[in-house]
Amino acid sequence: MKTIVKIKVVVSTVLLLMCINEVFAQVRIGGSVANELSGEMLPGASVKVVGATIGVSTDEKGNFSLQVPNLQVSLSISYMGYLPREIKLNNRSAVKILLTPDA
C-alpha cells in the first residue's frame, strides 16, 4: 500500500513540475526596427508584447532582444514620428520590422 502512495506522489510531482515549466517557459526572440522608406535603423523604438507588460527599446543600431511567452504572440512597435505597427510572430524567432513615417 505504501508503494502505491509513493508512486502517486512521484507521478503527481512530475506532472506538477511539467505544468510549472510550461507556464514559465520563455522564448528569446530578436530583431530590428527600420524606416520603411530609407532602410535607416531606428534606435530607441519601443517593442512590446501585446497584452503583457513585457517590452524593450531598440539599441543604438535599431536591434532588440526580448523574452516572450511563446512564438504566437503579437508585438506592438512604435517610434515617434512613425505610424505604430502590430505584428504576429507566427513561429518566427527573428523579425525585421519596417515602420512607415507619419506624414
Coordinates of all heavy atoms in Angstrom, one line a residue:
M1 N 0.8 -1.2 0.0 CA 0.0 0.0 0.0 C 0.9 1.3 0.0 O 0.6 2.2 -0.7 CB -0.9 0.0 1.2 CG -2.0 1.1 1.2 SD -3.0 0.9 -0.2 CE -4.6 0.8 0.6
K2 N 2.0 1.3 0.8 CA 2.8 2.4 0.8 C 3.5 2.7 -0.5 O 3.7 3.8 -0.9 CB 3.9 2.2 1.9 CG 3.4 2.4 3.3 CD 4.5 2.4 4.3 CE 4.0 2.6 5.7 NZ 5.1 2.7 6.7
T3 N 3.8 1.6 -1.2 CA 4.4 1.7 -2.5 C 3.5 2.5 -3.5 O 3.9 3.3 -4.3 CB 4.8 0.4 -3.1 OG1 5.6 -0.3 -2.2 CG2 5.5 0.5 -4.4
I4 N 2.2 2.2 -3.5 CA 1.2 2.8 -4.3 C 1.1 4.3 -4.0 O 1.1 5.1 -4.9 CB -0.1 2.1 -4.2 CG1 -0.1 0.7 -4.8 CG2 -1.2 2.9 -4.9 CD1 -1.3 -0.1 -4.6
V5 N 1.1 4.6 -2.7 CA 1.1 6.0 -2.3 C 2.4 6.8 -2.8 O 2.3 7.9 -3.3 CB 0.9 6.1 -0.8 CG1 1.1 7.6 -0.4 CG2 -0.4 5.6 -0.4
K6 N 3.5 6.1 -2.7 CA 4.8 6.8 -3.1 C 4.8 7.0 -4.6 O 5.2 8.0 -5.1 CB 6.0 5.9 -2.7 CG 6.3 5.9 -1.3 CD 7.5 5.1 -1.0 CE 7.8 5.1 0.5 NZ 8.9 4.2 0.9
I7 N 4.3 6.0 -5.4 CA 4.2 6.1 -6.8 C 3.2 7.3 -7.2 O 3.6 8.1 -8.1 CB 3.7 4.8 -7.5 CG1 4.8 3.8 -7.4 CG2 3.3 5.0 -9.0 CD1 4.4 2.4 -7.8
K8 N 2.1 7.4 -6.5 CA 1.2 8.5 -6.8 C 1.8 9.9 -6.5 O 1.6 10.8 -7.2 CB -0.1 8.3 -6.0 CG -1.0 7.2 -6.5 CD -2.3 7.2 -5.7 CE -3.2 6.1 -6.2 NZ -4.4 6.0 -5.4
V9 N 2.6 10.0 -5.4 CA 3.2 11.2 -5.0 C 4.3 11.6 -6.1 O 4.4 12.7 -6.5 CB 3.9 11.1 -3.6 CG1 4.8 12.3 -3.4 CG2 2.8 11.0 -2.6
V10 N 5.1 10.6 -6.6 CA 6.1 10.8 -7.6 C 5.5 11.3 -8.9 O 5.9 12.3 -9.5 CB 7.0 9.6 -7.8 CG1 7.9 9.8 -9.0 CG2 7.8 9.3 -6.5
V11 N 4.4 10.6 -9.3 CA 3.7 10.9 -10.6 C 3.1 12.3 -10.5 O 3.2 13.2 -11.4 CB 2.7 9.9 -10.9 CG1 1.8 10.3 -12.1 CG2 3.3 8.6 -11.3
S12 N 2.5 12.6 -9.3 CA 1.9 13.9 -9.1 C 2.9 15.0 -9.2 O 2.7 16.1 -9.8 CB 1.1 14.0 -7.8 OG 0.1 13.1 -7.8
T13 N 4.1 14.8 -8.5 CA 5.2 15.8 -8.5 C 5.7 16.0 -9.9 O 5.9 17.2 -10.3 CB 6.3 15.3 -7.6 OG1 5.7 15.1 -6.3 CG2 7.4 16.3 -7.5
V14 N 5.9 15.0 -10.7 CA 6.4 15.1 -12.0 C 5.4 15.9 -12.9 O 5.8 16.8 -13.6 CB 6.7 13.7 -12.7 CG1 6.9 13.8 -14.2 CG2 7.9 13.1 -12.0
L15 N 4.1 15.6 -12.8 CA 3.1 16.3 -13.6 C 3.1 17.8 -13.2 O 2.9 18.7 -14.0 CB 1.7 15.7 -13.4 CG 1.6 14.3 -14.0 CD1 0.2 13.7 -13.6 CD2 1.7 14.4 -15.5
L16 N 3.2 18.1 -11.9 CA 3.2 19.5 -11.4 C 4.4 20.2 -12.0 O 4.2 21.4 -12.4 CB 3.2 19.5 -9.9 CG 3.2 20.9 -9.3 CD1 2.0 21.7 -9.6 CD2 3.4 20.8 -7.8
L17 N 5.6 19.6 -11.9 CA 6.7 20.3 -12.5 C 6.6 20.5 -14.0 O 7.1 21.5 -14.5 CB 8.0 19.4 -12.2 CG 8.4 19.4 -10.7 CD1 9.5 18.4 -10.5 CD2 8.8 20.8 -10.2
M18 N 6.0 19.6 -14.7 CA 5.8 19.8 -16.1 C 4.9 21.0 -16.4 O 5.1 21.8 -17.3 CB 5.3 18.5 -16.8 CG 6.3 17.4 -16.9 SD 5.6 15.8 -17.4 CE 4.9 16.2 -19.0
C19 N 3.9 21.1 -15.6 CA 2.9 22.2 -15.7 C 3.6 23.6 -15.4 O 3.4 24.5 -16.1 CB 1.7 22.0 -14.9 SG 0.6 20.7 -15.4
I20 N 4.4 23.6 -14.4 CA 5.1 24.8 -14.0 C 6.0 25.2 -15.1 O 6.1 26.4 -15.4 CB 5.8 24.6 -12.6 CG1 4.8 24.5 -11.5 CG2 6.8 25.7 -12.4 CD1 5.3 24.2 -10.1
N21 N 6.8 24.3 -15.6 CA 7.7 24.6 -16.7 C 7.0 25.1 -17.9 O 7.5 26.1 -18.5 CB 8.5 23.3 -17.1 CG 9.5 23.6 -18.1 OD1 10.3 24.5 -17.9 ND2 9.6 22.7 -19.1
E22 N 5.8 24.6 -18.2 CA 5.1 25.1 -19.4 C 4.6 26.6 -19.1 O 4.6 27.4 -20.0 CB 3.9 24.2 -19.6 CG 3.1 24.5 -20.9 CD 3.9 24.3 -22.1 OE1 4.8 23.4 -22.1 OE2 3.7 25.0 -23.1
V23 N 4.2 26.9 -17.9 CA 3.7 28.2 -17.6 C 4.8 29.2 -17.6 O 4.6 30.3 -18.1 CB 3.0 28.2 -16.2 CG1 2.7 29.6 -15.7 CG2 1.7 27.4 -16.2
F24 N 6.0 28.9 -17.1 CA 7.0 29.8 -17.1 C 8.0 29.7 -18.2 O 9.0 30.4 -18.3 CB 7.8 29.7 -15.8 CG 7.0 30.1 -14.6 CD1 6.5 29.1 -13.7 CD2 6.7 31.4 -14.3 CE1 5.7 29.5 -12.6 CE2 5.9 31.8 -13.3 CZ 5.4 30.8 -12.4
A25 N 7.7 28.9 -19.2 CA 8.6 28.8 -20.4 C 8.7 30.1 -21.1 O 7.7 30.8 -21.3 CB 8.1 27.7 -21.3
Q26 N 9.9 30.5 -21.5 CA 10.1 31.7 -22.3 C 10.9 31.4 -23.5 O 11.7 30.5 -23.5 CB 10.8 32.7 -21.4 CG 10.1 33.2 -20.2 CD 9.1 34.3 -20.5 OE1 9.4 35.3 -21.0 NE2 7.8 34.0 -20.1
V27 N 10.7 32.2 -24.5 CA 11.5 32.1 -25.8 C 12.1 33.4 -26.1 O 11.5 34.4 -26.0 CB 10.5 31.7 -26.9 CG1 11.3 31.5 -28.2 CG2 9.7 30.4 -26.6
R28 N 13.4 33.4 -26.4 CA 14.1 34.6 -26.7 C 13.9 34.9 -28.2 O 14.2 34.0 -29.1 CB 15.6 34.5 -26.4 CG 16.3 35.8 -26.8 CD 17.6 36.0 -26.1 NE 17.5 36.2 -24.6 CZ 17.2 37.3 -24.0 NH1 16.8 38.3 -24.6 NH2 17.2 37.3 -22.7
I29 N 13.5 36.1 -28.6 CA 13.4 36.5 -29.9 C 14.3 37.7 -30.1 O 14.7 38.3 -29.2 CB 12.0 36.8 -30.4 CG1 11.5 38.0 -29.6 CG2 11.1 35.6 -30.2 CD1 10.3 38.8 -30.2
G30 N 14.6 38.0 -31.4 CA 15.4 39.2 -31.7 C 14.9 39.8 -33.0 O 14.2 39.2 -33.7
G31 N 15.4 41.0 -33.2 CA 15.1 41.6 -34.5 C 15.6 43.0 -34.6 O 16.4 43.5 -33.8
S32 N 15.0 43.7 -35.6 CA 15.4 45.1 -35.8 C 14.2 45.9 -36.2 O 13.3 45.4 -36.7 CB 16.6 45.2 -36.8 OG 16.1 44.7 -38.1
V33 N 14.3 47.2 -36.1 CA 13.3 48.2 -36.5 C 13.9 49.2 -37.4 O 15.0 49.8 -37.0 CB 12.6 48.8 -35.3 CG1 11.5 49.8 -35.7 CG2 12.0 47.8 -34.3
A34 N 13.3 49.4 -38.6 CA 13.9 50.3 -39.5 C 12.8 51.2 -40.2 O 11.7 50.8 -40.2 CB 14.7 49.6 -40.6
N35 N 13.3 52.2 -40.8 CA 12.4 53.1 -41.6 C 12.1 52.4 -42.9 O 13.0 51.9 -43.6 CB 13.2 54.4 -41.9 CG 12.4 55.4 -42.8 OD1 11.7 55.0 -43.8 ND2 12.5 56.6 -42.5
E36 N 10.8 52.3 -43.2 CA 10.3 51.5 -44.4 C 10.9 52.1 -45.7 O 11.2 51.4 -46.7 CB 8.8 51.5 -44.4 CG 8.2 50.8 -45.6 CD 6.7 50.9 -45.5 OE1 6.1 52.0 -45.5 OE2 6.1 49.8 -45.5
L37 N 11.0 53.4 -45.8 CA 11.4 54.1 -47.0 C 12.9 54.1 -47.2 O 13.4 53.8 -48.3 CB 10.8 55.5 -47.0 CG 9.3 55.7 -46.9 CD1 8.9 57.1 -46.8 CD2 8.6 54.9 -48.0
S38 N 13.6 54.5 -46.2 CA 15.1 54.6 -46.4 C 15.9 53.4 -45.9 O 17.1 53.3 -46.2 CB 15.6 55.9 -45.6 OG 15.4 55.6 -44.2
G39 N 15.3 52.6 -45.1 CA 16.0 51.4 -44.5 C 16.9 51.8 -43.3 O 17.5 51.0 -42.7
E40 N 16.8 53.1 -42.9 CA 17.6 53.6 -41.8 C 17.1 52.9 -40.5 O 15.9 52.8 -40.3 CB 17.4 55.1 -41.6 CG 18.0 55.7 -40.4 CD 17.6 57.2 -40.2 OE1 16.8 57.7 -41.0 OE2 18.1 57.8 -39.3
M41 N 18.0 52.4 -39.7 CA 17.7 51.8 -38.4 C 17.1 52.8 -37.4 O 17.6 53.9 -37.4 CB 18.9 51.0 -37.9 CG 19.4 50.0 -38.8 SD 18.2 48.8 -39.5 CE 18.1 47.7 -38.2
L42 N 16.2 52.4 -36.6 CA 15.6 53.3 -35.6 C 15.9 53.0 -34.2 O 15.4 52.1 -33.5 CB 14.0 53.2 -35.8 CG 13.5 53.6 -37.2 CD1 12.0 53.4 -37.3 CD2 13.9 55.1 -37.5
P43 N 16.9 53.6 -33.6 CA 17.3 53.4 -32.2 C 16.3 54.0 -31.3 O 15.7 55.1 -31.5 CB 18.6 54.2 -32.1 CG 18.6 55.2 -33.1 CD 17.8 54.6 -34.3
G44 N 16.0 53.3 -30.2 CA 15.0 53.8 -29.2 C 13.6 53.5 -29.5 O 12.7 54.0 -28.8
A45 N 13.3 52.7 -30.6 CA 11.9 52.3 -30.9 C 11.4 51.4 -29.7 O 12.2 50.6 -29.2 CB 11.8 51.6 -32.2
S46 N 10.1 51.5 -29.5 CA 9.5 50.7 -28.4 C 8.9 49.4 -29.0 O 8.2 49.4 -30.0 CB 8.4 51.5 -27.8 OG 7.7 50.7 -26.9
V47 N 9.3 48.2 -28.4 CA 8.8 46.9 -28.8 C 8.2 46.3 -27.6 O 8.9 46.0 -26.6 CB 10.0 46.1 -29.4 CG1 9.4 44.7 -29.9 CG2 10.7 46.8 -30.5
K48 N 6.9 46.0 -27.7 CA 6.1 45.4 -26.6 C 5.3 44.2 -27.0 O 4.9 44.2 -28.1 CB 5.2 46.5 -26.0 CG 5.9 47.7 -25.4 CD 4.8 48.7 -24.9 CE 5.5 49.9 -24.4 NZ 4.5 50.9 -23.9
V49 N 5.2 43.3 -26.1 CA 4.3 42.1 -26.3 C 2.9 42.6 -26.0 O 2.6 43.1 -25.0 CB 4.7 41.0 -25.4 CG1 3.7 39.8 -25.5 CG2 6.1 40.5 -25.6
V50 N 2.0 42.4 -27.0 CA 0.6 42.8 -26.9 C -0.1 42.0 -25.7 O 0.1 40.8 -25.7 CB -0.2 42.6 -28.2 CG1 -1.7 42.9 -28.0 CG2 0.4 43.5 -29.3
G51 N -0.8 42.7 -24.8 CA -1.5 42.1 -23.7 C -0.6 41.7 -22.6 O -1.0 41.0 -21.7
A52 N 0.6 42.1 -22.6 CA 1.6 41.8 -21.4 C 2.3 43.1 -21.1 O 2.3 44.1 -21.7 CB 2.5 40.7 -21.9
T53 N 3.1 43.0 -20.0 CA 3.9 44.1 -19.5 C 5.4 43.9 -20.0 O 6.3 44.5 -19.4 CB 3.8 44.2 -18.0 OG1 4.2 43.0 -17.4 CG2 2.4 44.6 -17.6
I54 N 5.6 43.1 -21.0 CA 6.9 42.8 -21.5 C 7.3 43.7 -22.6 O 6.5 43.9 -23.5 CB 7.0 41.3 -22.0 CG1 6.6 40.4 -20.9 CG2 8.4 41.0 -22.4 CD1 6.3 39.0 -21.4
G55 N 8.4 44.4 -22.5 CA 8.8 45.3 -23.6 C 10.3 45.8 -23.5 O 10.8 45.7 -22.4
V56 N 10.8 46.2 -24.6 CA 12.2 46.8 -24.6 C 12.2 47.9 -25.6 O 11.3 48.1 -26.4 CB 13.2 45.7 -25.0 CG1 13.3 44.6 -24.0 CG2 12.9 45.1 -26.4
S57 N 13.3 48.6 -25.6 CA 13.6 49.6 -26.6 C 14.8 49.1 -27.5 O 15.6 48.3 -27.0 CB 14.0 50.9 -26.0 OG 13.0 51.5 -25.3
T58 N 14.8 49.5 -28.8 CA 15.9 49.1 -29.6 C 17.2 49.8 -29.2 O 17.1 50.9 -28.7 CB 15.6 49.4 -31.1 OG1 15.3 50.8 -31.3 CG2 14.4 48.5 -31.6
D59 N 18.3 49.1 -29.5 CA 19.6 49.7 -29.1 C 20.0 50.8 -30.2 O 19.2 51.1 -31.1 CB 20.6 48.6 -29.0 CG 21.0 47.9 -30.3 OD1 20.6 48.4 -31.4 OD2 21.6 46.8 -30.2
E60 N 21.2 51.3 -30.1 CA 21.7 52.4 -31.0 C 21.7 52.0 -32.4 O 21.8 52.8 -33.3 CB 23.0 52.9 -30.5 CG 24.2 51.9 -30.6 CD 24.3 50.9 -29.4 OE1 23.5 51.1 -28.4 OE2 25.0 50.0 -29.6
K61 N 21.7 50.7 -32.7 CA 21.7 50.2 -34.1 C 20.3 49.7 -34.5 O 20.2 49.1 -35.6 CB 22.7 49.0 -34.2 CG 24.1 49.5 -34.0 CD 25.1 48.3 -34.1 CE 26.5 48.7 -33.9 NZ 27.4 47.6 -33.9
G62 N 19.3 49.9 -33.7 CA 17.9 49.6 -34.1 C 17.6 48.1 -33.8 O 16.5 47.6 -34.2
N63 N 18.4 47.4 -33.1 CA 18.2 46.0 -32.8 C 17.6 45.8 -31.4 O 17.8 46.6 -30.5 CB 19.5 45.2 -32.8 CG 20.2 45.3 -34.2 OD1 19.5 45.0 -35.2 ND2 21.4 45.6 -34.2
F64 N 16.9 44.7 -31.2 CA 16.3 44.3 -29.9 C 16.4 42.8 -29.7 O 16.5 42.1 -30.6 CB 14.9 44.9 -29.8 CG 13.9 44.1 -30.7 CD1 13.2 43.0 -30.2 CD2 13.7 44.5 -32.0 CE1 12.3 42.3 -31.0 CE2 12.8 43.9 -32.8 CZ 12.1 42.7 -32.3
S65 N 16.3 42.5 -28.4 CA 16.2 41.1 -28.0 C 15.2 41.1 -26.8 O 15.2 42.0 -26.0 CB 17.6 40.6 -27.5 OG 17.5 39.3 -27.1
L66 N 14.3 40.1 -26.8 CA 13.2 40.1 -25.9 C 12.8 38.6 -25.6 O 12.8 37.8 -26.4 CB 12.1 40.8 -26.6 CG 10.7 41.0 -25.9 CD1 10.9 41.9 -24.7 CD2 9.8 41.7 -26.9
Q67 N 12.5 38.4 -24.3 CA 11.9 37.1 -23.9 C 10.4 37.2 -24.0 O 9.8 38.1 -23.5 CB 12.2 36.8 -22.4 CG 13.7 36.6 -22.2 CD 14.1 35.1 -22.3 OE1 13.8 34.5 -23.3 NE2 14.7 34.6 -21.3
V68 N 9.8 36.2 -24.8 CA 8.3 36.2 -24.9 C 7.8 34.8 -24.5 O 8.6 33.9 -24.4 CB 7.9 36.4 -26.4 CG1 8.4 37.8 -26.9 CG2 8.5 35.3 -27.3
P69 N 6.5 34.8 -24.1 CA 6.0 33.5 -23.6 C 5.9 32.4 -24.6 O 6.1 31.2 -24.3 CB 4.5 33.9 -23.2 CG 4.5 35.4 -23.1 CD 5.6 35.9 -24.0
N70 N 5.7 32.8 -25.9 CA 5.7 31.8 -27.0 C 5.9 32.5 -28.3 O 5.9 33.7 -28.4 CB 4.4 30.9 -27.0 CG 3.2 31.8 -27.1 OD1 3.0 32.4 -28.1 ND2 2.4 31.9 -26.1
L71 N 6.0 31.7 -29.4 CA 6.2 32.4 -30.7 C 4.9 32.7 -31.4 O 4.9 32.9 -32.6 CB 7.1 31.5 -31.6 CG 8.5 31.3 -31.1 CD1 9.3 30.3 -32.0 CD2 9.2 32.7 -31.0
Q72 N 3.8 32.7 -30.7 CA 2.5 33.1 -31.3 C 2.0 34.4 -30.8 O 0.9 34.9 -31.2 CB 1.4 32.0 -30.9 CG 1.7 30.6 -31.5 CD 1.9 30.7 -33.0 OE1 1.1 31.3 -33.7 NE2 2.9 30.0 -33.5
V73 N 2.8 35.1 -30.0 CA 2.4 36.4 -29.5 C 2.5 37.5 -30.6 O 3.1 37.3 -31.7 CB 3.2 36.9 -28.3 CG1 3.1 35.9 -27.1 CG2 4.6 37.1 -28.7
S74 N 1.8 38.6 -30.4 CA 1.9 39.8 -31.3 C 2.8 40.8 -30.6 O 2.8 40.9 -29.4 CB 0.5 40.3 -31.6 OG -0.2 39.4 -32.3
L75 N 3.5 41.6 -31.4 CA 4.3 42.6 -30.9 C 3.8 44.0 -31.4 O 3.3 44.1 -32.5 CB 5.8 42.5 -31.5 CG 6.6 41.3 -31.1 CD1 7.9 41.3 -31.8 CD2 6.7 41.1 -29.6
S76 N 3.8 45.0 -30.5 CA 3.4 46.3 -30.8 C 4.7 47.2 -30.9 O 5.5 47.2 -29.9 CB 2.5 46.9 -29.8 OG 2.2 48.2 -30.0
I77 N 4.9 47.8 -32.0 CA 6.1 48.6 -32.2 C 5.7 50.1 -32.5 O 4.9 50.4 -33.3 CB 6.9 48.1 -33.5 CG1 7.2 46.6 -33.3 CG2 8.2 48.8 -33.6 CD1 6.2 45.7 -33.8
S78 N 6.4 51.0 -31.8 CA 6.2 52.4 -32.0 C 7.4 53.2 -31.9 O 8.4 52.8 -31.3 CB 5.1 52.9 -31.0 OG 5.6 52.7 -29.7
Y79 N 7.4 54.3 -32.6 CA 8.6 55.2 -32.6 C 8.0 56.6 -33.0 O 7.2 56.7 -33.9 CB 9.6 54.8 -33.7 CG 10.9 55.5 -33.6 CD1 11.8 55.2 -32.6 CD2 11.3 56.4 -34.6 CE1 13.0 55.9 -32.6 CE2 12.5 57.0 -34.6 CZ 13.4 56.8 -33.6 OH 14.6 57.4 -33.5
M80 N 8.5 57.6 -32.3 CA 8.0 59.0 -32.5 C 8.2 59.4 -34.0 O 9.3 59.2 -34.5 CB 8.7 60.0 -31.6 CG 8.1 61.4 -31.7 SD 8.8 62.5 -30.5 CE 7.7 62.3 -29.2
G81 N 7.1 59.9 -34.6 CA 7.2 60.3 -36.0 C 6.9 59.2 -37.0 O 7.0 59.5 -38.2
Y82 N 6.5 58.1 -36.5 CA 6.2 56.9 -37.4 C 4.9 56.3 -37.0 O 4.4 56.4 -35.8 CB 7.3 55.8 -37.2 CG 8.6 56.2 -37.9 CD1 9.5 57.1 -37.2 CD2 8.9 55.8 -39.1 CE1 10.7 57.5 -37.8 CE2 10.1 56.1 -39.7 CZ 11.0 57.0 -39.1 OH 12.2 57.4 -39.7
L83 N 4.2 55.7 -37.9 CA 2.9 55.0 -37.6 C 3.2 53.8 -36.8 O 4.1 53.0 -37.1 CB 2.2 54.7 -38.9 CG 1.8 55.8 -39.8 CD1 1.2 55.3 -41.1 CD2 0.7 56.7 -39.1
P84 N 2.5 53.6 -35.7 CA 2.7 52.3 -34.9 C 2.3 51.1 -35.7 O 1.5 51.2 -36.7 CB 1.7 52.5 -33.7 CG 0.8 53.5 -34.1 CD 1.4 54.4 -35.2
R85 N 2.9 50.0 -35.4 CA 2.6 48.7 -36.1 C 2.5 47.6 -35.1 O 3.1 47.6 -34.1 CB 3.8 48.5 -37.1 CG 3.6 47.3 -37.9 CD 4.4 47.3 -39.2 NE 4.1 46.1 -39.9 CZ 5.0 45.6 -40.7 NH1 6.1 46.1 -40.9 NH2 4.6 44.5 -41.4
E86 N 1.6 46.6 -35.5 CA 1.5 45.4 -34.7 C 1.7 44.2 -35.6 O 1.2 44.2 -36.7 CB 0.1 45.4 -34.1 CG -0.1 44.3 -33.1 CD -1.4 44.4 -32.3 OE1 -1.7 45.4 -31.7 OE2 -2.2 43.4 -32.4
I87 N 2.6 43.3 -35.2 CA 2.8 42.1 -36.0 C 2.7 40.9 -35.1 O 2.9 40.9 -33.9 CB 4.2 42.1 -36.6 CG1 5.3 42.1 -35.5 CG2 4.4 43.3 -37.5 CD1 6.7 41.6 -36.1
K88 N 2.3 39.8 -35.7 CA 2.3 38.5 -35.1 C 3.5 37.7 -35.4 O 4.0 37.7 -36.6 CB 1.0 37.7 -35.5 CG 0.8 36.4 -34.7 CD -0.6 35.9 -34.9 CE -0.6 34.6 -34.1 NZ -1.7 34.5 -33.3
L89 N 4.1 37.1 -34.4 CA 5.4 36.4 -34.7 C 5.2 35.2 -35.6 O 6.1 34.9 -36.4 CB 6.0 35.9 -33.3 CG 6.7 37.0 -32.5 CD1 7.2 36.4 -31.2 CD2 7.7 37.7 -33.3
N90 N 4.1 34.4 -35.5 CA 3.9 33.3 -36.4 C 5.1 32.3 -36.4 O 5.6 32.0 -37.5 CB 3.6 33.7 -37.8 CG 2.2 34.3 -37.9 OD1 1.3 33.9 -37.1 ND2 2.0 35.3 -38.7
N91 N 5.6 31.9 -35.2 CA 6.7 31.0 -35.1 C 8.0 31.5 -35.5 O 9.0 30.7 -35.7 CB 6.4 29.7 -35.7 CG 5.3 28.9 -35.0 OD1 5.2 28.8 -33.8 ND2 4.4 28.3 -35.8
R92 N 8.2 32.8 -35.7 CA 9.5 33.4 -36.0 C 10.2 33.8 -34.8 O 9.6 34.4 -33.9 CB 9.3 34.6 -37.0 CG 8.7 34.2 -38.3 CD 8.5 35.4 -39.2 NE 7.4 36.2 -38.6 CZ 7.1 37.4 -38.9 NH1 7.8 38.0 -39.9 NH2 6.1 38.1 -38.4
S93 N 11.5 33.5 -34.7 CA 12.3 34.0 -33.6 C 13.1 35.2 -33.9 O 13.8 35.8 -33.1 CB 13.1 32.9 -33.0 OG 14.0 32.4 -34.0
A94 N 13.1 35.6 -35.2 CA 13.8 36.8 -35.6 C 12.9 37.6 -36.6 O 12.3 36.9 -37.5 CB 15.1 36.4 -36.3
V95 N 12.8 38.9 -36.4 CA 11.9 39.7 -37.3 C 12.6 41.0 -37.6 O 13.4 41.5 -36.8 CB 10.6 40.0 -36.6 CG1 9.7 38.7 -36.5 CG2 10.7 40.6 -35.3
K96 N 12.3 41.5 -38.8 CA 12.8 42.8 -39.2 C 11.5 43.6 -39.4 O 10.6 43.2 -40.3 CB 13.6 42.8 -40.5 CG 14.0 44.2 -40.9 CD 15.0 44.3 -42.0 CE 15.5 45.7 -42.2 NZ 16.5 45.8 -43.2
I97 N 11.3 44.6 -38.6 CA 10.1 45.4 -38.6 C 10.4 46.7 -39.3 O 11.3 47.5 -39.0 CB 9.6 45.6 -37.2 CG1 9.4 44.3 -36.6 CG2 8.3 46.5 -37.2 CD1 9.5 44.3 -35.1
L98 N 9.5 47.1 -40.3 CA 9.7 48.3 -41.0 C 8.5 49.2 -40.7 O 7.3 48.8 -40.7 CB 9.6 48.0 -42.6 CG 10.7 47.1 -43.1 CD1 10.5 46.8 -44.5 CD2 12.1 47.7 -42.8
L99 N 8.9 50.4 -40.2 CA 7.8 51.4 -39.8 C 7.7 52.5 -40.9 O 8.7 52.9 -41.5 CB 8.2 52.1 -38.5 CG 8.2 51.2 -37.3 CD1 8.5 52.0 -36.0 CD2 6.9 50.4 -37.1
T100 N 6.5 53.0 -41.1 CA 6.2 54.0 -42.1 C 6.2 55.4 -41.4 O 5.6 55.6 -40.4 CB 4.8 53.8 -42.7 OG1 4.8 52.4 -43.3 CG2 4.5 54.8 -43.8
P101 N 7.0 56.3 -42.0 CA 6.9 57.7 -41.4 C 5.5 58.2 -41.4 O 4.7 58.0 -42.4 CB 7.8 58.5 -42.4 CG 8.7 57.5 -43.0 CD 7.9 56.2 -43.1
D102 N 5.1 59.0 -40.4 CA 3.8 59.6 -40.2 C 3.9 60.9 -40.9 O 4.5 61.8 -40.4 CB 3.4 59.7 -38.8 CG 2.0 60.1 -38.5 OD1 1.2 60.2 -39.5 OD2 1.6 60.3 -37.4
A103 N 3.1 61.0 -42.0 CA 3.2 62.3 -42.8 C 2.5 63.4 -42.1 O 1.4 63.4 -41.7 CB 2.6 62.1 -44.2

